[in-house]
Amino acid sequence: MNKIVFLVFVLLSFPSIAQVINDDIAKRLVLQSNTTLTSNTTNCTVQWSCVDTKAVTGCILFHNDQWFEFTTKQAGTYYLTITNQACRDIRGVQALVIDGEACKPSTYTHLVCYSTGYQDDISLTLDSLQANHTYLVNIDGYLNDFCQFELTLRTRMPDFAVTSLPQPVETMAQAQDSLVQLQWMLPDSLRDELTGFYILRRHQSEKKSLELTRFAAVTNTFGSRQNSYTHTDTVQKEGMYTYKIIGSTSQQKNYLLKEVNIQIHPLPKAKPAPEDILTVEVPIRKKMNVQILLINASTDKLLKKAYMLTSSKNKNLIRFDIAAFRKEGIRNYKVLVQEIENPKGYSKTFFFEQ
C-alpha cells in the first residue's frame, strides 16, 4: 500500500506537459491583429527540415521551437510583442519572423532575428510589410528553456517599445565598491526632444530587468534642456550588471540611449577612509522618486547629483565620495532631497561637517 501512495505522489508532483499543437509547422497558429495568444515551449521539438540553421548562425540555436503565422491587411509597420514570460531558466525565448513558404527554407527571408537570454518584454518592429501577405513566426526556448509567454501582433507601437539609436549616446560608467555611476551626454539632436529618462538594471542571476527610477529632463533658467545627466546606483552583490539608459519623448516614444555592462568585484579589503564618504539616510518610508543634490554649503555650488527610488522596506542610504572635495578644503556640505514628480512635494535640506 505504501508503494502505491508514493507512486501517486510522484506523478502528481511532476506533471507532464504535452507539446503545443503548433509544434508542428503544418498546425501553426494564426495571429490576428491586436489579439494575444498564450503558448509555451515546454517539450517542443524541432522540425529540422523546416528551419534554415545556417542563415541564423550567431543569433539562434534551435532547441524547442513552435510556429505561428499572420496575414497583413495593409502595408506598413507592425509590432510583434512577446510579454509576461515565465520560464524554467533565466534565458527566455528567441524569435524569428520569416517571409517565405512554410517548411521551404530555400524560400526564407529572415526579417527579424531576436535573442537576448533573459525575459524582459519584447517589442519587435516589422517595417515595410506588404499588404495581404502572410509571414511566419518561429518562437524557440533559448538553450531549451521551457517558457510560457504571450504573443501579440500589434498595429500600434506599445508603450514599452524601445527604439535603438543609430549611434548610442556618449556614456561613462564606473563602479567603486558597491556604487555604480552612470553619466551620459546628449547630442543637440536629442536634447530638446527628450522629456524624461528611466533606468533599467539586471543582475546576471535575474530573469528580468528592474526599473530603478524615472525622472524628467532638466530645463535651465534660460529655457534650454540640460545635455548631461548622472545616475548613481548602489548594488547589493558582486557579479555582472546590465544597465539600460532610456530616454522618452512627449509622444511616448522611447529610445535606448545606451546599454552598459558593469562587473562588480568582491569588495576589496582596503576601504576608503570613513571621512571621505558622506552617507545620507533619506528619511522617506514610502516609494518615491527623489533627486539628491550635494552642495558646498559655503558657496552653494552644486558638487554632485544623484537619483533614488525610495522604499518602505529598506534604509534609503546614499553615499557620496567626497575625497576630492576634501582635498580642495571643503568641509561643510548641504544635501537637498527633492521629490521629482511633484515640484511642491517632499523637499528637505540636511547639513554636514566632514
Side-chain angles (χ1 to χ4, degrees):
M1 180 63 181
N2 290 338
K3 293 182 179 180
I4 296 175
V5 172
F6 177 75
L7 177 60
V8 172
F9 174 78
V10 170
L11 291 175
L12 292 176
S13 300
F14 300 93
S16 177
I17 300 177
Q19 296 172 352
V20 292
I21 189 172
N22 54 319
D23 180 51
D24 182 352
I25 193 171
K27 298 177 181 178
R28 57 194 178 276
L29 299 182
V30 177
L31 287 169
Q32 304 292 345
S33 295
N34 303 309
T35 300
T36 298
L37 292 181
T38 300
S39 190
N40 69 79
T41 63
T42 304
N43 293 327
C44 287
T45 57
V46 179
Q47 292 173 279
W48 294 106
S49 62
C50 297
V51 295
D52 186 349
T53 56
K54 292 183 179 179
V56 293
T57 299
C59 177
I60 284 181
L61 291 173
F62 294 98
H63 291 88
N64 54 346
D65 69 349
Q66 59 186 272
W67 294 89
F68 304 82
E69 70 170 39
F70 65 88
T71 301
T72 55
K73 292 183 178 180
Q74 298 178 337
T77 300
Y78 292 76
Y79 304 90
L80 185 71
T81 64
I82 305 171
T83 54
N84 295 322
Q85 295 185 62
C87 303
R88 177 193 61 187
D89 305 323
I90 291 176
R91 303 178 183 95
V93 300
Q94 46 196 8
L96 271 176
V97 181
I98 301 169
D99 184 3
E101 296 181 50
C103 209
K104 293 185 179 180
S106 62
T107 69
Y108 289 178
T109 299
H110 295 96
L111 306 181
V112 171
C113 183
Y114 179 90
S115 179
T116 61
Y118 48 91
Q119 299 173 40
D120 287 0
D121 289 347
I122 302 164
S123 178
L124 305 176
T125 302
L126 309 177
D127 287 320
S128 305
L129 297 191
Q130 303 173 47
N132 302 311
H133 193 77
T134 299
Y135 297 89
L136 301 170
V137 178
N138 181 286
I139 304 293
D140 186 272
Y142 193 118
L143 293 181
N144 202 39
D145 203 353
F146 288 180
C147 296
Q148 180 171 298
F149 60 92
E150 294 176 355
L151 188 66
T152 311
L153 180 71
R154 302 174 189 255
T155 53
R156 297 182 61 182
M157 179 183 289
D159 292 342
F160 63 84
V162 176
T163 302
S164 296
L165 295 172
Q167 182 68 34
V169 303
E170 180 183 345
T171 306
M172 183 177 72
Q174 57 185 357
Q176 180 181 356
D177 297 338
S178 61
L179 294 180
V180 175
Q181 186 173 74
L182 305 172
Q183 295 179 299
W184 62 99
M185 176 73 70
L186 299 177
D188 291 341
S189 58
L190 276 178
R191 181 189 63 188
D192 294 326
E193 183 181 1
L194 298 181
T195 57
F197 307 92
Y198 62 97
I199 309 291
L200 302 179
R201 183 192 72 196
R202 188 183 71 86
H203 184 263
Q204 64 187 58
S205 65
E206 295 170 339
K207 294 183 176 183
K208 297 185 180 183
S209 298
L210 171 70
E211 182 177 312
L212 297 180
T213 186
R214 285 181 183 257
F215 55 94
V218 177
T219 302
N220 62 29
T221 55
F222 301 101
S224 298
R225 293 262 171 80
Q226 183 172 298
N227 281 84
S228 62
Y229 294 86
T230 301
H231 174 74
T232 302
D233 182 36
T234 302
V235 297
Q236 304 299 323
K237 55 185 176 181
E238 64 187 78
M240 182 67 73
Y241 288 84
T242 299
Y243 288 86
K244 292 182 180 180
I245 306 169
I246 299 169
S248 302
T249 71
S250 58
Q251 287 76 39
Q252 296 184 330
K253 187 170 184 179
N254 304 312
Y255 293 105
L256 177 61
L257 304 182
K258 186 73 172 183
E259 180 174 328
V260 295
N261 293 318
I262 296 180
Q263 179 70 46
I264 301 297
H265 299 284
L267 294 180
K269 294 181 180 179
K271 296 183 178 180
E275 61 269 23
D276 288 340
I277 300 295
L278 178 60
T279 301
V280 181
E281 181 175 358
V282 179
I284 299 174
R285 294 297 177 262
K286 63 180 181 178
K287 188 174 181 181
M288 182 186 296
N289 275 311
V290 296
Q291 67 174 358
I292 303 147
L293 309 181
L294 178 65
I295 300 167
N296 183 340
S298 301
T299 64
D300 269 346
K301 179 183 177 181
L302 177 64
L303 303 175
K304 284 188 175 183
K305 182 187 292 187
Y307 299 92
M308 175 185 287
L309 178 62
T310 62
S311 168
S312 61
K313 299 180 181 179
N314 304 311
K315 282 188 175 181
N316 298 302
L317 298 178
I318 183 74
R319 296 179 176 87
F320 291 106
D321 184 344
I322 58 172
F325 305 132
R326 286 176 52 79
K327 288 180 182 179
E328 296 175 10
I330 301 173
R331 293 293 183 269
N332 296 301
Y333 302 88
K334 180 167 64 175
V335 176
L336 176 59
V337 181
Q338 295 176 316
E339 184 176 357
I340 293 176
E341 283 87 356
N342 182 7
K344 296 182 179 179
Y346 183 90
S347 180
K348 192 166 184 178
T349 303
F350 305 88
F351 293 88
F352 299 87
E353 182 178 353
Q354 191 160 320

